[in-house]
């Protein structure tokens, strides 16, 4: 018997890797882009590369940006970018066909998985703090708000953002500090009376975290600077109290 062996005589699409997984938090930033190397495992020149219509699995569609090639002749790199958007926590899948008219094994497919995890959520208790101090008197005592995670995962990277003051007075919050950058954390706020005139002053102290889906969240601060109450005057004559205001006719 005679056995004939024929060498490959055409280009062939090869993908590395052929499976990609993206991980992200719900409501958070998009994951980093990833690339697939498209090479020619056959002979000749593998050109005319293109990405076909993306086929999405159940749950959601459109969460991949249009894939981009750096060149349409192998070797080439195909860049993929997943978009979190408003996707609910869950696992999403898609298939991307890679085609070439000169490759007999066209199309070859890339399997893509996007895992969206429930994200941390900033919770503030209480979210309102109220202070009072006498005009030209000492500072009121500091107060605190507890920063916790009402979502999933770990709430890290906590920090105090730029304080927003309402018109009337600025810079009267002496300090706003966290005792930890990971929840649970204690936010301590200290107002300063300084030279503030009598009145009511308000400000918002934002708490931020890059991993929290609801960042920033703010503590509302109200500071009342109270004017002294004038002492009431009394008039006594021969042991009898008279009103301080007398009208003559």
């Amino acid at each position: 018997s005679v056995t004939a062996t024929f060498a490959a005589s055409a280009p062939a699409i090869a993908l590395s890797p052929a499976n990609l997984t993206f991980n992200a938090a719900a409501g958070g930033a998009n994951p980093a882009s990833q690339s697939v190397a498209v090479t020619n495992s056959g002979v000749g020149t593998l050109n005319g590369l293109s990405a076909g219509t993306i086929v999405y699995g159940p749950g959601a569609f459109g969460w991949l940006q249009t894939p981009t090639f750096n060149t349409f002749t192998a070797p080439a790199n195909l860049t993929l970018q997943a978009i979190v958007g408003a996707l609910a926590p869950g696992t999403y899948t898609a298939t991307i066909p890679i085609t070439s008219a000169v490759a007999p094994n066209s199309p070859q497919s890339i399997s893509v998985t996007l895992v969206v995890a429930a994200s941390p959520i900033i919770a503030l208790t209480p979210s309102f703090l109220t202070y009072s101090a006498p005009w030209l008197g000492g500072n009121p005592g500091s107060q605190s708000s507890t920063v916790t995670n009402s979502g999933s995962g770990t709430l890290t990277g906590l920090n105090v953002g730029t304080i927003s003051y309402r018109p009337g007075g600025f810079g009267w919050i002496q300090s706003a500090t966290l005792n930890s950058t990971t929840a649970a954390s204690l936010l301590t706020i200290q107002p300063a009376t300084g030279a503030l005139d009598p009145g009511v002053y308000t400000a918002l102290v934002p708490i931020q975290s890059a991993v929290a889906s609801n960042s920033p969240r703010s503590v509302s601060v109200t500071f009342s600077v109270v004017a002294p109450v004038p002492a009431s005057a009394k008039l006594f004559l021969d042991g009898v109290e008279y009103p301080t205001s007398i009208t003559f006719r």
Side-chain angles (χ1 to χ4, degrees):
S1 63
V2 177
T3 300
T5 302
F6 297 93
S9 58
I13 299 172
L15 305 172
S16 180
N19 298 278
L20 292 178
T21 299
F22 294 89
N23 292 279
N30 295 328
S33 62
Q34 298 187 48
S35 295
V36 173
V38 183
T39 56
N40 180 10
S41 61
V43 297
T45 301
L46 176 58
N47 53 26
L49 291 169
S50 67
T53 301
I54 300 173
V55 178
Y56 291 94
F61 62 92
W63 48 266
L64 279 171
Q65 285 186 346
T66 301
T68 56
F69 280 102
N70 67 336
T71 177
F72 300 106
T73 300
N77 282 322
L78 178 69
T79 300
L80 304 178
Q81 177 64 65
I83 305 298
V84 177
L87 290 175
T91 300
Y92 304 91
T93 59
T95 302
I96 304 172
I98 304 303
T99 64
S100 168
V102 301
N105 71 334
S106 176
Q108 293 292 297
S109 293
I110 301 168
S111 295
V112 182
T113 300
L114 171 60
V115 179
V116 179
S119 61
I121 297 173
I122 298 171
L124 304 172
T125 306
S127 58
F128 296 87
L129 295 177
T130 301
Y131 300 82
S132 180
W135 180 44
L136 300 179
N139 296 334
S142 63
Q143 297 184 45
S144 297
S145 175
T146 302
V147 184
T148 56
N149 179 12
S150 62
S152 299
T154 303
L155 178 54
T156 59
L158 290 169
N159 64 90
V160 178
T162 301
I163 299 172
S164 173
Y165 294 93
R166 295 294 187 261
F170 300 89
W172 48 265
I173 292 181
Q174 189 176 74
S175 62
T177 56
L178 291 162
N179 70 345
S180 172
T181 58
T182 300
S185 180
L186 198 65
L187 169 69
T188 301
I189 298 175
Q190 176 63 67
T193 306
L196 288 175
D197 291 327
V200 178
Y201 302 90
T202 58
L204 294 175
V205 179
I207 303 303
Q208 306 172 146
S209 168
V211 302
S213 60
N214 66 335
S215 178
R217 301 295 290 176
S218 294
V219 175
S220 178
V221 182
T222 300
F223 184 23
S224 298
V225 178
V226 182
V229 177
S232 60
K234 294 183 180 181
L235 177 62
F236 290 89
L237 291 175
D238 297 328
V240 178
E241 181 180 346
Y242 290 88
T244 56
S245 176
I246 302 174
T247 301
F248 296 92
R249 297 182 185 275

